[in-house]
Amino acid sequence: MAETPVPWWRLFAMANDDPRKAVGMTVLVAFVAALGVSTAATVLKPYQQVHVERERQARLDAMLNTLPGLRGLMVEAGIDTLETRIVDLQSGQYDPAIDPASFDPDEAAKGPATSRDLPPGADPAGLKRIATHAPVYLLERDGRLHLVVLPVSGMGYQSLIRAYLALEPDLNTVAALTIVEQAETPGIGARIAEPDWQALWPGHRITDDDGRIMIRVTQGAAGPYEVDGISGATRTGNGITAMLTFWLGDQGFGPFLDRLRERGF
Amino acid sequence: MTGLPDRLTRPLIDENPITLQILGICSALAVTTTLATALTMSLALTVVISLSATLISMIRNHIPHSVRLIIQITIISALVIVMDGLLRAFAYEMSQRLSVFVGLIVTNCLVMGRAEAFAMRHPPGESFLDALGNGLGYSLILIVVGTLREGLGLGTILGVPLAPMLGLDGFTTLALMQRAPAAFFILGLLIWAIRAWRPAQVERPEYQLSSEEEDA
């Protein structure tokens, strides 16, 4: 056969029992498959994102519905959704320069000027890099704060978990936790998305009297700080513990919550 | 010799992958609680099996024997990932209800089976028809099981209540139909019915009791 300059023609010309062909064909097929999969993923991403966004909003609404008396309060105040404000995480101050409507936390977490790396020791939730600003959702009536909702995220056993944590006005009691996005093991870790499990959360305390963050997911939970984990999903539970510890701590919403406590709404 | 049209029609009843070869049972149990999920799963599997068989058949002469399974799995799983992505983009609700089962098409013996047993030895056109036929055969069973389970278990078809259509005030639904064992019962009855109609499908016993041999 004539020499050909294209390498894969030479590959096809090899005998099928040649080990080089076995390796070559595997690599070639894997490469083509990878190309196809990544192209499809990139093309389909915007379409999927629309659904994910809608789902997130629906979960937030559903969470508001589970909170006793909240809807009534909102109807009374003539509002149908919470007020969104953008917080500078490090100072804990609101940042009025950023328009909440156009702020995209996912984009911000990627931009070099709008995000920062987390040092390995201070990254229990496995996020690597977070945005410097984050949205918070507030419900205020006649100058009194009724609810604060914080978006939190962290690595579970095999996927990024995103959730909304709603706090009572004392800022130390969980009003609700809603998982809005996760891809944990179906039937095991993925049960964190079930209402039955999320219903365990309301009423749990976050910090002890010394201000240490105590809330955690554990097997055989006892006391005001512990939430019962799902059997077989220990690492998913640990992921949620780390996620809350991180976001309620100094690197996350800690400064904002401190400021809220000191100076009020 | 089997003609080309037969490649497409034989897997529907005579060589049905579920009722004759008893392949793909896992997903047939899991996704048939309603007709809508059964239809979506059928579509996903038929597309994946047809495309994978065609692609594998196109490169069959260049697949070294020692790595053929790896290459088949790579092609099948790439197609499954794309299929799953398409469902999540354009049928999000449905993809949530099917959860892992679209992903599990990769491990469905049916897809691998057709690739290994047929597409590796036949030209693309024939492989495509054979795979399409098998996909449709699988779909046929899923649709029958899904219709029965949703109809009897929830009293609806594709979410539309059945009772008014039949001119009834209502009927008691069978909760058992929504549970996994019901799929086994229906599959078993289907296999029985098909084999009663086509006795050629009845397997010969692998051995006979010695007393029977003596009697004979």
Side-chain angles (χ1 to χ4, degrees):
Chain A
M1 182 175 272
E3 268 306 301
T4 134
V6 188
W8 46 80
W9 284 6
R10 284 217 306 269
L11 181 70
F12 287 146
M14 281 180 194
N16 267 358
D17 52 9
D18 190 329
R20 282 176 304 169
K21 177 149 185 179
V23 174
M25 279 305 288
T26 316
V27 170
L28 186 65
V29 168
F31 181 76
V32 174
L35 206 65
V37 167
S38 3
T39 311
T42 316
V43 171
L44 294 173
K45 184 95 184 174
Y47 297 99
Q48 295 168 352
Q49 211 53 42
V50 174
H51 296 291
V52 172
E53 211 51 57
R54 201 175 297 158
E55 177 93 0
R56 211 184 282 183
Q57 190 58 43
R59 297 275 175 115
L60 184 62
D61 282 344
M63 178 173 82
L64 296 179
N65 287 334
T66 65
L67 299 173
L70 197 75
R71 278 287 172 197
L73 201 71
M74 288 171 73
V75 171
E76 215 177 287
I79 46 173
D80 59 358
T81 188
L82 303 180
E83 183 191 346
T84 308
R85 290 206 188 177
I86 305 299
V87 169
D88 180 332
L89 289 176
Q90 259 168 330
S91 68
Q93 310 264 7
Y94 297 121
D95 192 335
I98 301 175
D99 175 21
S102 64
F103 181 74
D104 182 341
D106 294 341
E107 277 304 311
K110 281 185 237 156
T114 54
S115 60
R116 66 191 173 89
D117 280 322
L118 293 170
D123 185 21
L127 292 165
K128 295 196 177 77
R129 197 171 173 85
I130 59 165
T132 52
H133 291 68
V136 296
Y137 310 94
L138 305 167
L139 179 63
E140 167 254 346
R141 177 111 171 89
D142 305 329
R144 251 191 74 215
L145 187 65
H146 285 279
L147 190 78
V148 182
V149 179
L150 308 174
V152 294
S153 54
M155 287 305 292
Y157 169 54
Q158 59 180 30
S159 66
L160 183 71
I161 301 171
R162 287 177 200 269
Y164 286 121
L165 177 70
L167 300 178
E168 301 273 357
D170 69 353
L171 301 180
N172 198 26
T173 309
V174 176
L177 178 85
T178 295
I179 308 289
V180 290
E181 223 183 296
Q182 55 85 23
E184 298 292 281
T185 319
I188 308 174
R191 288 176 56 205
I192 57 172
E194 290 179 3
D196 285 355
W197 188 73
Q198 293 174 18
L200 298 174
W201 284 81
H204 279 87
R205 315 276 298 163
I206 291 167
T207 56
D208 65 7
D209 295 338
D210 300 329
R212 272 182 308 221
I213 296 163
M214 298 291 284
I215 193 156
R216 56 198 296 256
V217 178
T218 181
Q219 306 295 331
Y225 306 112
E226 296 188 343
V227 178
D228 217 350
I230 291 159
S231 309
T234 310
R235 285 175 65 183
T236 302
N238 291 347
I240 289 181
T241 304
M243 166 173 99
L244 294 182
T245 311
F246 173 81
W247 282 103
L248 294 165
D250 296 338
Q251 303 275 334
F253 291 106
F256 167 70
L257 293 174
D258 288 342
R259 199 191 138 274
L260 216 53
R261 257 181 225 111
E262 280 161 29
R263 290 196 239 156
F265 178 72
Chain B
M1 277 303 285
T2 318
L4 280 184
D6 285 352
R7 287 272 174 242
L8 185 64
T9 52
R10 282 183 65 83
L12 294 183
I13 303 281
D14 286 334
E15 284 171 12
N16 187 287
I18 299 186
T19 58
L20 181 69
Q21 303 167 30
I22 323 289
L23 293 178
I25 293 289
C26 165
S27 52
L29 294 181
V31 301
T32 51
T33 49
T34 62
L35 184 54
T37 48
L39 280 171
T40 317
M41 184 69 181
S42 301
L43 178 74
L45 185 123
T46 307
V47 170
V48 168
I49 194 173
S50 309
L51 289 179
S52 67
T54 312
L55 289 174
I56 288 167
S57 164
M58 278 161 69
I59 58 166
R60 70 188 186 284
N61 294 328
H62 294 289
I63 300 178
H65 190 74
S66 52
V67 291
R68 67 188 195 288
L69 290 178
I70 297 176
I71 288 180
Q72 289 165 13
I73 278 278
T74 310
I75 292 173
I76 294 167
S77 47
L79 289 168
V80 167
I81 296 170
V82 173
M83 196 66 211
D84 195 34
L86 279 170
L87 282 180
R88 274 190 290 124
F90 301 110
Y92 186 74
E93 282 283 288
M94 192 49 75
S95 77
Q96 295 298 98
R97 280 167 68 191
L98 285 172
S99 70
V100 290
F101 292 102
V102 172
L104 284 179
I105 292 178
V106 178
T107 59
N108 196 314
C109 316
L110 186 51
V111 183
M112 276 290 280
R114 286 339 282 174
E116 175 72 2
F118 198 90
M120 287 295 285
R121 296 189 191 92
H122 294 84
E126 222 175 312
S127 302
F128 171 74
L129 285 179
D130 170 77
L132 183 64
N134 273 279
L136 293 177
Y138 172 90
S139 307
L140 185 68
I141 302 297
L142 252 67
I143 290 168
V144 171
V145 179
T147 308
L148 285 172
R149 287 181 73 186
E150 186 181 344
L152 296 174
L154 296 174
T156 60
I157 289 296
L158 289 174
V160 183
L162 266 181
M165 263 192 274
L166 301 172
L168 302 169
D169 291 336
F171 58 88
T172 313
T173 54
L174 265 171
L176 174 70
M177 280 294 156
Q178 285 292 301
R179 313 201 74 90
F184 273 120
F185 299 154
I186 296 173
L187 278 180
L189 291 171
L190 269 179
I191 293 171
W192 181 30
I194 290 174
R195 288 180 188 194
W197 174 38
R198 298 278 167 94
Q201 292 195 8
V202 179
E203 290 126 10
R204 256 185 246 131
E206 283 174 22
Y207 56 86
Q208 290 187 317
L209 294 177
S210 56
S211 61
E212 285 179 19
E213 277 167 27
E214 280 162 25
D215 288 346

